[in-house]
Amino acid sequence: MTQIDTVIRSRRVVTPDGVAPAAVGLRGGRVAAVCAPHARLPARQEVDLGDTALLPGLVDPDVAVQAPGRPLRECYLRTAAEAVRGGVTSLAVAPSPAGPPLTGEAGLQEHLDAAGGVGPHVVLLGAVTDRSTPADLAELRSAGAAGFHCSLSDGGAPGGGPIGDAQLRKAMMEVAAMEAPLLVHAEDAGELAPFPADAPAPAAAARPARAERRGLERVIAAARVAGTRTHVSPFTAAECAAVLGAARAIGVALSAHTCPHYLCLPAEAVPEASPAFRCRPPLRSGANRDALWSALLGDADCPIRTIGSGHRPGTGVTAIAWTLPALWTAARRRGLDLAAVARWTSRNPADLLGLAGKGRIAPGADADLVAFDPDAAQTVPADDPGPYAGRGLTGRVERTWIGGRSVFPSPGAAPRARAAEFGGPLPTGS
């Protein structure tokens, strides 16, 4: 074999075929070979991870990067730094409440310029608003939008209003013709109670599960006619899982995305007034959390296909650095292995977004990788701004590579101070 750049050995390599010992050879930013663990590979550099697992880098399909009042470039740099610390190597950036809006080529190009060289691979989701025209959507797609995003509860971009049924069907027709995915925030505006925009966190009573159910019914009706690949994001109301499944059973190209905080943190266990839990939809009950897990585990063709951070700096949950350990803490307690986690966080979102070469460890794939110690205990710092502050988690990201280049810890950085060994556990049953 021609000399490769790096060989990484681990007794737990997560490939599309499962978890097994292997040696992974990297060359030119891609995976050149996946071999037996003791295979002799001519390489310039060797990394032996031992029992630390090697996973494909995470692909987060619905991330906002902007915090109000901060420059766009700074926001991309901050989000990128948190992402690679959490093993996230690809981001799909959704329309954000700050500007410029992703409603046309100019705004999209400004985001691309701001995202240049930040580290993770960045793609953008164009905004579908109540003002979007077919020409707007075509312009966004030709300018490089990987997909589109709309909201039934707000406009999905500054100045926009909730999407109505006629606009939703029309947009779906256009997006289907472009063979692009459409991500939909499916809370129905008509089912939401008034709630102050600057309140610490939305009360569950103000954004009830029936808002998701009504929104799903509208989305299904439109998608059934248009044939659009539609991804509901985020999906939280477990009672609606059967509605999703029934739609898929009759051929609607519908799937869903959820977040670790909906799978880990029941509403009863968190302070409602804390801004760290300002997610929309809000956290739901422990019974809902358990039912959401049951939906994930009960059907091989479960419509909940992707799991990601739901990162919304300044306006919602900021937790992209903790996606993997938080999800693994809860998944491990339910007897799952790292292959299931990688499927939800890497392979399926890459497939959704059409990111060929991302989300898997296989010959020819991009060398976007994460070294993850699934047995390490850590405590999230008490001053962390996200929902896991002070909580004990199992699993720790040790190293991240993008295109075969080590990006975390940064080259030459001092060794990280280790968090205290295992603080308080997540709520019982999480």
Side-chain angles (χ1 to χ4, degrees):
M1 176 183 288
T2 303
Q3 187 178 49
I4 59 180
D5 302 323
T6 304
V7 60
I8 305 174
R9 302 181 193 275
S10 168
R11 286 188 278 276
R12 292 188 272 196
V13 176
V14 182
T15 73
D17 297 322
V19 183
V24 180
L26 313 181
R27 184 174 61 233
R30 295 182 179 275
V31 176
V34 179
C35 305
H38 301 297
R40 296 185 61 184
L41 297 174
R44 298 184 179 92
Q45 179 186 24
E46 290 229 8
V47 178
D48 190 346
L49 297 178
D51 285 331
T52 295
L54 185 68
L55 282 71
L58 277 64
V59 178
D60 201 325
D62 186 1
V63 174
V65 302
Q66 293 164 283
R70 295 192 178 275
L72 186 59
R73 175 66 175 178
E74 176 189 321
C75 292
Y76 270 99
L77 289 170
R78 287 188 175 209
T79 300
E82 290 295 292
V84 297
R85 186 161 69 89
V88 179
T89 57
S90 295
L91 306 171
V93 175
S96 175
L102 290 168
T103 52
E105 182 178 3
L108 186 141
Q109 189 58 54
E110 191 167 340
H111 277 263
L112 289 175
D113 291 344
V118 297
H121 179 67
V122 174
V123 297
L124 302 175
L125 301 175
V128 179
T129 75
D130 57 337
R131 304 175 184 179
S132 296
T133 68
D136 293 331
L137 303 186
E139 178 182 277
L140 284 164
R141 184 64 166 168
S142 64
F148 295 88
H149 186 286
C150 71
S151 174
L152 306 187
S153 60
D154 58 49
I163 299 291
D165 288 342
Q167 180 72 5
L168 181 62
R169 287 194 300 271
K170 185 177 180 181
M172 280 190 171
M173 293 287 191
E174 298 296 330
V175 172
M178 299 176 199
E179 299 183 341
L182 175 66
L183 279 71
V184 182
H185 185 111
E187 287 182 290
D188 185 273
E191 299 291 343
L192 304 181
F195 199 78
D198 59 351
R207 306 181 81 96
R210 70 173 179 272
E212 283 193 65
R213 185 179 188 93
R214 173 56 185 147
L216 275 175
E217 291 168 350
R218 293 174 55 196
V219 169
I220 291 167
R224 188 174 184 181
V225 173
T228 312
R229 285 192 295 128
T230 307
H231 201 58
V232 174
S233 177
F235 176 80
T236 74
E239 66 187 58
C240 299
V243 177
L244 283 171
R248 287 171 64 87
I250 61 173
V252 180
L254 186 67
S255 55
H257 171 87
T258 196
C259 308
H261 42 277
Y262 296 120
L263 294 165
C264 298
L265 304 174
E268 299 93 334
V270 300
E272 187 175 278
S274 171
F277 304 93
R278 194 195 298 126
C279 48
R280 300 179 181 180
L283 295 176
R284 304 206 185 278
S285 68
N288 182 87
R289 178 205 57 194
D290 292 341
L292 201 58
W293 273 111
S294 295
L296 272 167
L297 304 180
D299 184 356
D301 190 37
C302 175
I304 307 172
R305 305 290 293 169
T306 66
I307 300 175
S309 65
H311 192 68
R312 295 293 189 272
T315 60
V317 164
T318 55
I320 196 168
W322 304 106
T323 297
L324 186 51
L327 178 59
W328 174 240
T329 300
R332 179 172 174 157
R333 292 176 180 175
R334 288 166 172 80
L336 297 171
D337 64 8
L338 289 169
V341 171
R343 183 170 61 250
W344 291 323
T345 61
S346 299
R347 188 175 72 195
N348 288 353
D351 290 347
L352 170 75
L353 297 166
L355 301 181
K358 304 292 184 186
R360 65 206 73 206
I361 299 176
D366 293 345
D368 298 347
L369 307 166
V370 55
F372 180 69
D373 184 346
D375 303 314
Q378 64 173 321
T379 301
V380 179
D383 60 354
D384 187 272
Y388 305 108
R391 295 179 181 273
L393 301 178
T394 302
R396 182 170 57 217
V397 172
E398 298 288 355
R399 194 166 176 182
T400 304
W401 294 265
I402 296 179
R405 182 174 63 90
S406 181
V407 295
F408 173 80
S410 58
R416 284 186 301 164
R418 295 298 188 194
E421 290 297 315
F422 203 79
L426 288 176
T428 302
S430 66

